[in-house]
Amino acid sequence: MNVHLPLTDVHLTPELYFVIPGELKTLTGGYAYDRELMTALRHAGIIVHHVTLSGQFPTPDESALADAGAQLAAIPDQALVLIDGLAYGVMDTLAAREHHRLRIIALCHHPLALETGLTEDVKAALLQSERTALTLACAVVVTSSATASLLTERFDVSADKITVALPGTGRPAFAPCRGQPPCLLTVATLTRRKAHDVLISALSRVEALPWRARFVGGDQFDPAWSAQLRTQVADLGLGERIQFAGSVDDLNTEYAAADVFVLPSRFEGYGMVFAEALSYGLPVIAAHAGAVPDVVPDSAGILVAPDDADKLAAALHAILSTPSHFAALRRGAQAAAAQLPQWQNTANQLIAVLQTVAQQQVNQQT
């Protein structure tokens, strides 16, 4: 696994085809990563061609796959091509057709096969297609060391083929954290993996304490699950205290107005929102799952077992009822913020991968 790849002496034509399914402006962590990376690469002088695939991925129909095939076929021979894993994980057949001609780099935010709520048959099919596609890539870029380990252990990807390019963050002013009552902020799409249901159950257990909760995130990815969450809130009588805010274009105001960040995801390939919360100096309460422990140090948050509403409620009680504990975690979050990478660091990691892949091509031709 490579965290810092050395630049080689090979001349790199500053040109990249970045293949992304759906709308780049979509408000999720993965799309935010792609947007920020694209901007940082261009700032570094790389010419980035944005290739847009169907928004049906990762469950494309034949038409969407045919369109993806046509778009890959139109890319010049030997071009450097970065493909977002939301599409690449099910593009194994196309990768087999094009990998001799194109220098394909896979960008894996988190494995598709590890999404929550999949049937065993779907999970097995995704595991196979993703394993095959990743094997055919020249290099693989992941957003956390935890995801790198998953790919080596479960997807048979060689560690020396993987580079970790951590998401960057800005350097905003710290949130004042003076909410009366304290604002508990959650930023995540309303999907099963994000475990809003566990959080709602935990909040019902600390109803006697002062707090208000704000759930920021779209409900379009799983409308039935979103409706179930709203019903859960209503049945517990928490409708006046938990607000479903929907998608929000500018998250800066959300973080700045919050006191604590809470998100008990069942799995995270990285979890950009945790880093963003830390950048605002917010204490974090989350599940000890996926890459979250790599992002949130003990000094800045409380991590509990996934799917444990009782432990989550205990963490909420501790931070809401003990001012000294809250203050200590807030100081820890502010200290952690200074250690977070910036987006140009992320771009530099990717540029190093491009250099390495370009050098491999030169070596094969000599």
Side-chain angles (χ1 to χ4, degrees), residues 1 143-149 164 166 268-271 274-275 278 287-298 303 336 339-341:
M1 178 178 65
T143 57
S144 72
S145 296
T147 300
S149 296
V164 179
L166 297 176
E268 289 287 353
Y270 177 74
F274 297 103
L278 292 175
H288 194 285
V292 177
D294 296 336
V295 183
V296 182
D298 292 341
L303 303 185
Q339 305 303 316
L340 294 170

Side-chain angles (χ1 to χ4, degrees), residues 169-185:
T169 57
R171 293 291 186 267
F174 292 138
C177 296
R178 297 178 188 142
Q180 295 294 334
C183 176
L184 309 177
L185 176 65

